């Protein structure tokens, strides 16, 4: 077997509307509706499906709880632009910019939390 890419992942959330608002406003993701009224956050060729806590779609993770994810998202923006945008959105920054290692090389990351306390890392690849 050969895996090509990540298609989607699932976040279990306390409030789907609040999560959609945050990810659209702060991260510029598109809120889409699919299936029988389910919500997802689309970006690039991927999406994040949302499960309402207590109303998860089966099958689901063994322990599906809000605030248990740690996501790294890649941007083409500079870390300074990410910081300025987060400040403008009123989002507290936990750490960064700090050097890290991404899937294909060195990145610079900024960390913050979403409404469910998931850890969100927005990173940019360093110039070669």
């Amino acid at each position: 077997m050969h895996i090509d890419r990540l298609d989607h992942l699932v976040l279990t959330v306390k409030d789907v509307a609040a999560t959609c608002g945050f990810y659209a406003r702060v991260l510029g993701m598109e809120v889409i509706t699919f299936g029988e009224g389910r919500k997802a956050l689309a970006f690039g060729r991927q999406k994040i499906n949302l499960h309402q806590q207590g109303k998860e779609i089966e099958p689901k993770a063994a322990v599906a709880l809000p605030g248990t994810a740690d996501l790294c998202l890649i941007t083409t923006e500079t870390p300074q632009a990410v910081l300025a945008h987060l400040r403008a959105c009123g989002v507290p920054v936990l750490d960064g910019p700090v050097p890290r290692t991404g899937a294909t090389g060195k990145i610079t990351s900024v960390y913050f939390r979403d409404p469910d306390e998931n850890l969100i890392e927005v990173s940019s690849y360093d110039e070669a």
Side-chain angles (χ1 to χ4, degrees):
M1 182 186 315
H2 170 79
I3 303 299
D4 179 56
R5 65 185 169 98
L6 179 68
D7 182 80
H8 72 277
L9 58 91
V10 177
L11 286 181
T12 301
V13 301
K14 293 176 189 172
D15 183 332
V16 171
T19 299
C20 288
F22 179 86
Y23 280 80
R25 180 176 59 88
V26 176
L27 296 170
M29 293 184 183
E30 178 186 1
V31 177
I32 60 173
T33 304
F34 69 102
E36 295 179 6
R38 293 182 59 198
K39 297 291 184 186
L41 307 162
F43 59 102
R45 295 174 53 195
Q46 294 80 223
K47 68 177 181 161
I48 300 172
N49 290 349
L50 301 176
H51 283 184
Q52 176 70 48
Q53 182 181 19
K55 298 179 183 177
E56 298 87 357
I57 305 299
E58 296 291 343
K60 65 178 185 281
V63 183
L65 295 172
T68 59
D70 183 341
L71 307 176
C72 179
L73 303 167
I74 300 298
T75 183
T76 56
E77 301 292 329
T78 66
Q80 293 74 25
V82 171
L83 284 175
H85 177 71
L86 292 173
R87 282 190 202 109
C89 290
V91 176
V93 173
L94 297 174
D95 198 10
V98 293
R100 296 289 188 253
T101 302
T104 63
K106 293 180 181 181
I107 56 176
T108 301
S109 300
V110 175
Y111 294 88
F112 56 96
R113 295 199 185 276
D114 75 1
D116 287 296
E117 298 297 316
N118 292 302
L119 182 65
I120 308 298
E121 175 182 359
V122 172
S123 306
S124 55
Y125 273 89
D126 297 349
E127 296 289 324

